[in-house]
Amino acid sequence: MSQFSYVNDLKSAVRMDEPITNGPAPRWMKKSVESTSSSANTSRKTNELLPIKKTPSKTPNKSKSPASRSASNTPAKPKTPGGDRFIPSRMSTNFDISHFKMNQENENLDLSPTQSDYRKAMSENLHGCDINNVRILSYQNKAPAPPDGYQNALKVVYSQSKTPMNVRGATRYIPHAPDRILDAPEIVDDYYLNLIDWSFSNILAVALGTSVYLWNADTGAIDQLLDLEGADYVTSLSWVPNGNLLGVGTALGPVQLWDASQTKRLRIMNSHSSRVGAMSWNSHILTTGCRNGQLVHNDVRQREHIVGTIQSHTQEVCGLKWSTDGRYLASGGNDNLLNVYSGLPGQATYQSEPIYSFSQHQAAVKALDWCPWQPNVLASGGGTADRTIRFWNCNNGQCINSVNANSQVCAILWSKTYRELVSAHGFANNQLIIWKYPSLTKVAELTGHTNRILNLAMSPDGSTVLSAGADETLRMWKCFLPDPNKKKENEKRSSRPTMLGPGLR
């Protein structure tokens, strides 16, 4: 029977649901037994016949552990009613239906309403519920509500940060002070003129009275390109895309064509009899608009340069812009009209009537620019009596959005880096506003000009915007700096070898 007693002792030793009764004796009990046995060596036989009396140890408070002492001195902390977490019960979950829904195939059957109702009724009769409306991971017994006055100690971790991490990571730093300020003495304070333009070779052209100056943004060198004589003065400037040719409009009507790389005048085109306030290029076609509302298409390659004439405005043309793909030409005038003409890349538009004529603006329309990633979307801004920026879909002639700028709109430029645009304003704050598109929420307001802003120009890389103000200053704003992480990704992509191999020249 000894083997069975061993098994019983082993089972009792490994049981965890009862208090341990036959474990090792405490230290104080061992010491009492040793002291008792050592003092009774002379009467060992008598002590063996009598039961051993367990004498408590003389050491004070040895019978109490530190945990028990602290528990006796410290008042008990009240327990949180209801527990600190919710442990759901899956007893009410129908695992058979859940297993069926997880393994069933998606059936895309075109059922009639009668067949759908019949299938629903059969499902309710067979399963006791409609299995199409049964969720696999759901609990019928929801978590109980916390008692009144209960405060979660972990709530402070989530409530301290008011702005989510993804929102804070998406914002970028926009300097609210100009990166550089240049003097522009004798710049003409006229709302209807366009006196600055920035070329693809990083050269800025500025018209100051009768002269045109070129500022090299790479080296900082300043050169005078031309100086008009008499009562004539410069009224508009426009660089040819991807070239060094500069069109110069004058107050007396002639349009001059200059080669900036050689500082040489190539030709004079007598297209108008009044001042030319706006110009725009479409490949080798230079379209000009003058004070009497006339538009002229000039082919700079031909001796007879006038290849088309349009008379659709009754007052001065102050805004003129070809779309990036050359399909549309937009013109804005002092008659509060915005006209859109059809065209082709490198070809003049010979139609005398616009395909769209918008009259929603209540003031002169000077600010015009086409969206770089949607060439059919046009942004236009009105003057002091209008103060509104409107967006047009020129594929169907609809106004897709508008925003009240609360000030005179002098110029508009779309960003090449972000889905944003910047607008320049006059009365009353003389500020630049960066808008998010298409939500049209304000990203930033840039102030510093003491008078209205006349024109805007953007650097070739799209990171810097230059504003020309009537306070005779040019201010450069680095408001569209690219994201460093995206810039590194683009550099890695551009550095990857192509299928043609690195040795091809």
Side-chain angles (χ1 to χ4, degrees):
M1 300 296 289
S2 61
Q3 67 270 20
F4 296 105
S5 62
Y6 171 75
V7 173
N8 293 333
D9 293 341
L10 181 63
K11 290 183 178 180
S12 63
V14 299
R15 293 188 62 181
M16 303 298 295
D17 55 349
E18 293 182 357
I20 299 176
T21 58
N22 54 354
R27 183 183 178 190
W28 64 270
M29 187 177 292
K30 291 181 179 180
K31 286 190 175 184
S32 63
V33 172
E34 292 175 358
S35 61
T36 304
S37 60
S38 61
S39 62
N41 287 332
T42 56
S43 57
R44 183 175 182 81
K45 295 182 179 179
T46 307
N47 290 336
E48 290 178 355
L49 298 176
L50 298 176
I52 298 175
K53 184 178 180 181
K54 298 179 181 180
T55 306
S57 175
K58 296 181 181 181
T59 304
N61 296 332
K62 278 291 183 178
S63 61
K64 294 183 180 180
S65 61
S68 61
R69 290 200 305 268
S70 61
S72 61
N73 297 331
T74 306
K77 183 181 293 185
K79 295 183 178 181
T80 303
D84 58 347
R85 61 195 178 105
F86 169 64
I87 302 177
S89 176
R90 299 178 182 269
M91 298 300 294
S92 60
T93 304
N94 193 334
F95 289 97
D96 294 335
I97 295 180
S98 301
H99 183 267
F100 171 74
K101 289 181 67 67
M102 293 177 64
N103 294 327
Q104 71 176 351
E105 297 181 358
N106 296 326
E107 298 180 358
N108 297 324
L109 300 178
D110 296 333
L111 301 178
S112 63
T114 305
Q115 293 175 342
S116 179
D117 295 340
Y118 176 76
R119 176 171 292 191
K120 181 179 180 181
M122 292 295 295
S123 176
E124 292 178 353
N125 293 332
L126 292 176
H127 304 284
C129 62
D130 185 10
I131 62 174
N132 294 326
N133 296 328
V134 173
R135 297 176 59 187
I136 297 176
L137 298 177
S138 63
Y139 303 107
Q140 294 183 0
N141 299 326
K142 303 300 179 181
D148 297 337
Y150 173 70
Q151 297 290 335
N152 188 0
L154 298 178
K155 186 177 181 181
V156 66
V157 179
Y158 305 99
S159 61
Q160 286 297 319
S161 57
K162 297 181 180 180
T163 306
M165 292 297 295
N166 56 352
V167 176
R168 288 188 294 174
T171 58
R172 71 180 193 279
Y173 172 70
I174 300 178
H176 284 67
D179 180 69
R180 182 177 295 183
I181 300 178
L182 304 176
D183 291 331
E186 299 182 4
I187 189 169
V188 181
D189 183 8
D190 196 325
Y191 174 81
Y192 303 99
L193 305 183
N194 296 272
L195 304 176
I196 61 173
D197 199 13
W198 209 327
S199 72
F200 87 105
S201 56
N202 210 12
I203 297 178
L204 176 67
V206 183
L208 301 178
T210 61
S211 303
V212 174
Y213 291 89
L214 303 180
W215 178 71
N216 193 324
D218 295 328
T219 62
I222 300 176
D223 298 319
Q224 184 177 3
L225 181 65
L226 63 93
D227 188 13
L228 300 179
E229 299 178 354
D232 201 3
Y233 60 94
V234 181
T235 56
S236 58
L237 296 174
S238 182
W239 287 100
V240 66
N242 303 325
N244 294 319
L245 298 183
L246 177 65
V248 180
T250 61
L252 298 181
V255 177
Q256 300 184 11
L257 191 63
W258 284 77
D259 187 352
S261 60
Q262 301 179 3
T263 317
K264 179 181 179 181
R265 187 177 65 186
L266 300 180
R267 65 183 303 179
I268 297 178
M269 298 180 290
N270 296 312
S271 305
H272 303 278
S273 58
S274 58
R275 72 176 185 180
V276 180
M279 294 188 298
S280 182
W281 287 87
N282 180 15
S283 185
H284 53 270
I285 302 295
L286 177 60
T287 304
T288 57
C290 69
R291 195 166 195 170
N292 59 13
Q294 186 184 46
L295 298 179
V296 175
H297 302 290
N298 303 275
D299 191 341
V300 298
R301 304 171 303 172
Q302 301 180 13
R303 182 180 181 88
E304 300 295 332
H305 53 86
I306 299 179
V307 294
T309 304
I310 299 175
Q311 186 71 49
S312 58
H313 289 279
T314 59
Q315 296 187 34
E316 182 172 9
V317 178
C318 51
L320 200 59
K321 200 76 171 182
W322 277 98
S323 61
T324 54
D325 57 0
R327 293 181 55 195
Y328 299 105
L329 171 66
S331 65
N334 195 27
D335 53 2
N336 306 345
L337 289 180
L338 171 61
N339 295 328
V340 179
Y341 313 87
S342 63
L344 292 174
Q347 297 184 15
T349 301
Y350 297 99
Q351 297 178 357
S352 59
E353 297 295 332
I355 57 175
Y356 303 115
S357 184
F358 305 115
S359 59
Q360 282 83 344
H361 286 288
Q362 304 301 316
V365 183
K366 178 190 177 183
L368 297 174
D369 199 22
W370 295 89
C371 180
W373 62 88
Q374 287 181 315
N376 61 304
V377 176
L378 172 67
S380 62
T384 306
D386 184 69
R387 306 183 182 186
T388 304
I389 301 175
R390 298 182 183 273
F391 299 87
W392 311 89
N393 185 353
C394 293
N395 287 343
N396 54 19
Q398 298 295 325
C399 180
I400 56 180
N401 211 338
S402 64
V403 60
N404 187 4
N406 296 318
S407 58
Q408 180 189 39
V409 185
C410 303
I412 293 175
L413 284 179
W414 290 89
S415 172
K416 302 177 183 178
T417 311
Y418 303 94
R419 295 297 179 95
E420 298 172 355
L421 68 153
V422 58
S423 58
H425 302 276
F427 180 81
N429 297 324
N430 307 319
Q431 83 278 34
L432 283 80
I433 301 179
I434 301 176
W435 307 86
K436 196 75 176 178
Y437 186 82
S439 61
L440 297 183
T441 56
K442 289 185 179 180
V443 179
E445 291 192 17
L446 309 178
T447 58
H449 283 283
T450 58
N451 208 331
R452 66 178 177 182
I453 302 174
L454 301 174
N455 296 108
L456 290 180
M458 184 173 290
S459 61
D461 59 356
S463 63
T464 306
V465 173
L466 182 135
S467 59
D471 54 1
E472 297 186 347
T473 60
L474 304 177
R475 298 174 186 262
M476 304 178 67
W477 314 84
K478 290 187 175 296
C479 53
F480 294 128
L481 290 174
D483 188 358
N485 298 327
K486 294 183 179 180
K487 187 176 180 180
K488 291 180 181 179
E489 293 179 359
N490 296 333
E491 291 178 354
K492 289 181 180 179
R493 292 176 182 176
S494 61
S495 61
R496 292 177 182 174
T498 61
M499 297 179 62
L500 298 177
L504 184 64
R505 294 291 184 267

